[in-house]
Structure formats: structure tokens, C-alpha cells
Amino acid sequence: MKIRSITFFYNPLIQDGDFIRKLGEIAHSIKTSCQLNGFEVQSLRLSTQPFPKIMGVSKYNQTIDWVIDLEKVASANGFTYLSIGPALINHPESYHFIPEILQQTKNVFTSGMIADQDHGINFFALEACSKIILQAAGFEPNGFGNLRFSALANVKPLGPFFPGSYFDESKPTGFSIAIEAADEVLSVFRIATSFSEARENLLNILQEKAHQIESILSENLQNFHLEFFGFDFSVAPFPEDSCSLGNALETLGVSSLGDHGSLAAAAFLAETLDRGNWKKIGFNGLMLPLLEDSILAKRSISGTLKIKDLLLYSAVCGTGLDTIPISGDVQASAVQSLLLDIAALSSRLRKPLTARLMPIPGKKSGDLTDFDFEFFKNGRILDIETSPLSNLLAYSNENLTINPRK
């Protein structure tokens, strides 16, 4: 198990660059303490409230310059990545800033809200996010621009995983922790002789790890006036078979992820995580990022795992669709139809979901990716199986309200 990130939250409206310097010193102190006690920390990250709340979005150049400057300050103080939060439904002009932000920065993550509790599903936001995804595909080789953007449906603040992370400025300054622990899941499931044994052993391990980290943090929190918001034990994978959630799920008895039985395996793991007795923040669900998981990537190549499968698993467990390679010539209308399903599923189930889709320039559905990136495993370009929507589902000037089932 590793700590994927320690994400710190900060309010630029009341805290300046000197505060980031102090926060960076605290972050490195906490990181050092964790590593001295056997927990590898992969990254330190900084997250603000949604950028429309920070800058007057009518001042285009000032907003872009502010983001560029903040990225430099964050990097100079040891934060590998910066999230400036999502464009907001009640600030429709804010979506237009995202392509330029992605193009002008290297380590800035952002997102776009497509559904929230106040507005329901918003069709302007769906259309705007689908266009952003197509634009961002051309900013970096292999479509890497979309690595730093996702569409969000009912995602709440203070989660540590990017790109969906953002601050609630009404909260005190603090941090949360994202966990990479697919290896622990696989180790437990491999030797379990019953569901109860698998569940009990996994919870014991994860709860003990959480307790150890909290003990480390308690020493630091006595010295610093920070709040620990919690852990996101979405047990993220790494693109090796030994740290694959796909591998762990297949170990329960599915011959190939995507076959029937996969949904039951995913539901079992997600429900087990629900029982965890640790301070929770963010998703705390099953994370199935296709390109970040070696077995998921292999199953996309063999053809057993498709977008509809991953969307189905999101209904019982997941964080949505993550690092999904799609055709470079995909139409915005196809992307919008998929985002609409994500938003509807999120709203009906009252659960946060994200969509990080990656059109790959020059590639078509069925082709293989050819990334040379240590955090990705190559997979197959997946098809969005849809024809253009029409009538009300294509575009509506009113928000679509879908209440959760009672």
C-alpha cells in the first residue's frame, strides 16, 4: 500500500504566496514522517475552491495569468500538482476558460460540473464539457491534455483524487489522503476461502493502515493548525498485475473482467470498503481507471471489457469512467450522450461520479494505444456505442431533475 497523494486545501482569496510556502513546509514535514514510518508518499498536491469563485471570470486574461502564477508558486513550494476546481453550472462562462488553462499549464488540473444538487443535470454544461474533451485532445501528444480534466456529477469538495478535487472555502485549511492499495486487495483475495474471510481480512489490514497513518498525523497536527478531512480508500491501482484491481476481482472467480459475475465481484469489494472504520472523505469506492490498471487494459484488448461494462460497475461501486481511451475523431454529440448517462446515473443513485475520457489523436475504435508512460498500460481504443441523440435528450434549455429513488 502507498499514499497516492496528500492533498492540501487552500483559499487564495485570503491566503497569499507566503501561506503556500508555510503550507509546503508542513506538507513536507508530514510526508517525511509518513515515509520514515514505512508509507511511501507519491505526491503532494494543492487544491483551491472552484476557480469561478476566485476570479471574475469576465476578466479572461487576468484569470489565465492568475492560474499560471499560482502553478509556479505551488511548484516552487513542493506541490507536484495543482487543482483549481470545476467550472460551475451557475457560472456558465467559466467553462470557456478551461481549454486555455490546460494549454497554458503543465501540472494544473481542472474539471467541469455537469450535474449538482442545486441545478440537476445541465445541458449547457454537458455540451461545454464534451467540447472541452475534444479540444484538449489536441494539446499534447497522445491526447494527454485530458489527463488533467474530468466532467463531474454531484462530486463534493475535499476529496484528494485529481482531477475532481476542490476546496469548500467555508472549511478550515486542511488536507485529505488518497490511498493506492490494490495490491492489498489482491493479496487478501488470493488466499481467502470465503467471502467473510476476504471481507474481514481486508478490513483489518486497511483499518490498521489507516490507524497507523492517523497516529503519524496526530503528532504533526499538534504542531500545525490544520484539519485532517479524511482518507479516500478507493484503493487505486498501479499498472502492474501485482497492483491491479482487475486482477483482484478476477481472483474472486471471474475468468475475465467484463464477463457476467464481474458486477457481483465489484459490488462485493465496494460494499466491503463501505464497512471500513476510518475517517472518510471523497469517493471511498472502487476505482477502475482502464489505462492505469494492467488487467483492465488487457481485457479491453481482448474485447471483454467495454465502456458499458465500466458504466454498469459504476452503478454499484465506482468513481465513474476514468482514463478511457476513445477514438480521436469521436463526435462531440457522442461524448455528450455518454456524459448524460453519467449524470443521470449519479443523480438517480445519489452518488458522485466522474468521467475522464481521452480521445487519442490519429487512433480509431479498435486500435491499440502506444503510450510510453510509466503510469499507463496500453489498451484498446473503446467505442462509444451511440447514435446522435435527438429531441429533448439532445439539448434542453431547462435543467433535468432526476430525484433519487426513495
Side-chain angles (χ1 to χ4, degrees), residues 51-52 57 86-89 91-99 101 132:
F51 70 90
V57 292
L88 297 174
I89 291 172
H91 291 273
E93 65 275 26
S94 60
Y95 296 83
H96 300 307
F97 286 71
I98 291 176
I101 289 170
I132 290 167

Side-chain angles (χ1 to χ4, degrees), residues 37-80:
N37 284 275
F39 292 97
E40 179 182 336
V41 179
Q42 294 180 326
S43 65
L44 298 175
R45 305 181 183 185
L46 187 65
S47 189
T48 73
Q49 64 263 52
F51 70 90
K53 294 184 176 183
I54 300 170
M55 300 298 297
V57 292
S58 61
K59 301 175 182 177
Y60 185 90
N61 290 332
Q62 290 185 24
T63 298
I64 302 299
D65 290 343
W66 168 77
V67 175
I68 293 171
D69 290 342
L70 186 58
E71 179 186 29
K72 292 177 181 176
V73 174
S75 177
N77 288 283
F79 294 102
T80 309

